[in-house]
Structure formats: C-alpha cells, structure tokens
Amino acid sequence: MRYIVVSDIHCNAPALEAVLRDAPHFDAVLCLGDIVGYGPDPNVCVERVQDYQLTCLAGNHDWGAVGKADLRVFNRDAREALLWTEEELTKVNREFLRNLPAKASLNDRILLAHGSPRDPVWEYLVDATSASQSFRNHDFDLLLVGHSHLPLTFEWSPDEQRARPLPTKLDTPVEMEGRRLIVNPGSVGQPRDGNPKSSYGLLDLDAQTFTFHRTAYPIEITQERMRAKGLPPRLIDRLEVGR
Ligand code: ZN
C-alpha cells in the first residue's frame, strides 16, 4: 500500500493539483490537516481530497473555519482569511471539516496528528526536545505530523534515549524498518522553509520507506485568485518566498 502524505494545503488548489500530478503512483491519501485557511479555494480543496481513498485529520485552521476554535488565537491575517473562508464554505464542506478527527492511526504502529500526539491540533513538533517527549510518551514506530509547514524527520536514538533530527533529502527513500521516526511532510499550499515549491511525502508500506518530494506550481495563479478575493497582501506575498 502506497500513501501520498499531504498537509497544510491551505486552500491552494493549484498547489494541490501540482502535487497530485507530480506524485508517483499511490493508492490512498493521508491528509494531516489544515485543508483550509489562508488561500483562495476552500471548497475546491475540501472536495478534491475526497476524490481518493482518504484518511484526513483536523488542523487548527479547519477548526477555526467552522467555529470549533476561538479566532482570537490566530494572528490578524490568518483570522481575516478564516472569516472569509467561513463565509465561502458550502454547508456540506463545513460539515466535512467539522467532523474530522483530531488524530488517527493507520495500523497500531503508525500515528497521525496535525500537531503532536499530546496536543493533536495545536502543539508544534519542531525540535528534538518536543520530538523526544512524543517518542517517550507515545507508542509508535512512525508518527506523521504537519502544522509547522517544515519538512522534518526525527529519529529515536535508543542509545542516547532521545530524538535526533535527520537531514531532509528529496527523492531519496528513508528506510523505516527497525527504526522509530517522526516525519513532517512539509506544506502543500504554504511552505515556510524558504523553498516556495509544494512539499509532500510518499509512504510505501510494502517497501517500508518514506520519501520527501517537492514540486513547482503556478504561484502567480494562486496569488491572483487571492487578490481577487481580497485576502490579506502579506499572505499573498509570502507564497513566492516560501516563508
Ligand atoms: Zn497550517
């Protein structure tokens, strides 16, 4: 079974299409949350992921867009975009987002959360300290998270009894056999690692590998659509620098 692993699509339909086109053959989609927020195409993105066999989690922006999170915790631009998204979503798509689970497991060894297993919707898992806590307190071989928009891998070191970061190498399978890993596939719709290309991963359970991929998408089309919808300029500008 081969899964495409996507996260933080953020209403960026041209980015989502580019990723689906770029991905090597896959059987199903794992979506780690934040389908909506920031971008111009909430309904298209919510509907498009459902064209596939899908496991999908709730992100903080998905909750924000359907009244399940207090909008005061978001910054001004994010809040403005969420208020617009809330208006734009169809009733059916709002229900879909409202019913998303906060965490899931693929089999008893693979856990999925938008943020972390401890605080699935909100906690950022970006350093060795928070990664170590997850490894210690939760039983998994592979934990897939999103939320930070940064492609990241941590491996548990049984000798040192702590997590250590691994470098992200594109198009190079990471062997999973006999290891404990935490992987963030990065963001489809709003990358923040300085590379504006969409980021995603491929999880191959037969080969026991995870592979990071990047693909370019027509950023200017997304930006044009954001301008037309009156979304905040800072959210439009950041896409081309990947920050
Ligand atoms: Zn996000």
Side-chain angles (χ1 to χ4, degrees):
M1 187 82 171
R2 287 157 61 93
Y3 296 89
I4 183 175
V5 186
V6 294
S7 192
D8 299 278
I9 296 164
H10 284 300
C11 298
N12 191 337
L16 177 58
E17 280 311 318
V19 161
L20 292 169
R21 229 184 352 256
D22 184 68
H25 161 79
F26 60 90
D27 306 297
V29 173
L30 301 179
C31 176
L32 306 176
D34 278 3
I35 299 178
V36 302
Y38 296 132
D41 302 307
N43 291 308
V44 175
C45 292
V46 170
E47 287 158 18
R48 187 69 174 103
V49 290
Q50 294 175 76
D51 288 343
Y52 300 89
Q53 186 185 324
L54 175 70
T55 303
C56 187
L57 301 178
N60 51 320
H61 287 254
D62 302 319
W63 275 12
V66 298
K68 283 179 84 167
D70 188 339
L71 290 187
R72 285 174 300 185
V73 303
F74 293 90
N75 69 45
R76 198 170 48 108
D77 290 336
R79 191 165 58 237
E80 200 180 307
L82 282 172
L83 287 168
W84 175 83
T85 306
E86 197 171 14
E87 289 290 306
E88 188 82 0
L89 281 169
T90 65
K91 195 163 174 281
V92 172
N93 291 340
R94 200 175 303 132
E95 274 313 291
F96 173 83
L97 293 175
R98 180 176 277 285
N99 292 324
L100 290 176
K103 54 182 175 177
S105 58
L106 207 51
N107 50 44
D108 58 343
R109 304 309 307 157
I110 300 176
L111 293 187
L112 283 63
H114 181 62
S116 75
R118 177 172 70 176
D119 188 357
V121 175
W122 297 99
E123 185 182 24
Y124 287 93
L125 225 166
V126 288
D127 55 34
T129 307
S130 51
S132 294
Q133 274 172 358
S134 295
F135 278 120
R136 285 193 194 106
N137 298 334
H138 300 272
D139 186 24
F140 59 82
D141 290 335
L142 174 66
L143 167 64
L144 295 170
V145 297
H147 197 31
S148 68
H149 299 207
L150 303 171
L152 290 170
T153 310
F154 293 97
E155 177 174 22
W156 177 249
S157 163
D159 296 339
E160 299 166 66
Q161 286 292 301
R162 63 182 179 88
R164 51 188 195 88
L166 298 183
T168 301
K169 292 190 191 127
L170 293 181
D171 309 314
T172 309
V174 177
E175 303 286 340
M176 302 195 305
E177 195 89 63
R179 307 166 91 176
R180 295 185 72 205
L181 298 169
I182 297 175
V183 174
N184 186 325
S187 168
V188 169
Q190 195 202 73
R192 292 180 189 163
D193 62 341
N195 177 352
K197 289 182 177 179
S198 291
S199 187
Y200 70 97
L202 204 86
L203 171 65
D204 187 332
L205 289 188
D206 304 317
Q208 282 291 301
T209 58
F210 185 93
T211 312
F212 288 96
H213 296 285
R214 298 300 281 248
T215 188
Y217 72 95
I219 294 173
E220 67 289 351
I221 291 179
T222 302
Q223 291 178 315
E224 224 171 83
R225 291 181 56 73
M226 289 172 80
R227 261 178 233 115
K229 308 277 182 180
L231 287 161
R234 204 183 72 88
L235 299 180
I236 299 170
D237 294 341
R238 71 188 299 179
L239 292 178
E240 68 204 48
V241 288
R243 290 284 180 202

